[in-house]
Amino acid sequence: MEPKKVVEAWVEAFSKADADLISSYYSDDAINHQVANPVVSGKDAIHAMFRQEFAVAEMVCIVENIFQDGEWAILGPVYLSEPPLLETIFSSNKAEMMRCSCST
């Protein structure tokens, strides 16, 4: 699957609040870093984070741009809440998320 398609699938899983599906896109050693929260390392921990977050809040990604260059794709900015947060995702052509970073 090309990187842009991986990011599109991630967005769809996020918008469905599907922690099982969204975590399936992460590599076993992936890192999720949201500036206001501690770094979350590893697929299992990322799955638990999404399961917890989806249980307490309804969130939807609104995509403005997905850029692809070779084996990488970048999503940003998207608005997850008010005020808007910038979500950046890097994806490899291995159909796995390598890193997810969020900042305001």
Side-chain angles (χ1 to χ4, degrees):
M1 182 182 315
E2 72 177 65
K4 184 175 181 179
K5 296 295 182 191
V6 175
V7 174
E8 289 170 346
W10 185 96
V11 168
E12 184 175 337
F14 184 95
S15 295
K16 290 180 179 178
D18 189 332
D20 294 335
L21 182 57
I22 199 167
S23 63
S24 74
Y25 294 114
Y26 286 83
S27 61
D28 290 336
D29 60 349
I31 297 169
N32 186 297
H33 182 217
Q34 299 179 33
V35 173
N37 300 324
V39 172
V40 179
S41 298
K43 182 186 277 194
D44 291 339
I46 291 170
H47 177 267
M49 177 199 68
F50 279 118
R51 190 177 63 241
Q52 180 180 355
E53 288 181 355
F54 291 149
V56 297
E58 183 177 330
M59 299 179 282
V60 177
C61 278
I62 301 170
V63 177
E64 287 191 9
N65 294 297
I66 300 176
F67 304 98
Q68 181 173 319
D69 184 15
E71 65 182 50
W72 297 94
I74 301 170
L75 168 65
V78 298
Y79 301 93
L80 302 175
S81 63
E82 292 293 331
L85 301 173
L86 174 64
E87 173 96 4
T88 306
I89 299 170
F90 300 92
S91 167
S92 78
N93 62 5
K94 297 175 187 172
E96 294 180 332
M97 295 296 168
M98 307 288 284
R99 181 173 179 86
C100 177
S101 301
C102 302
S103 61
T104 54

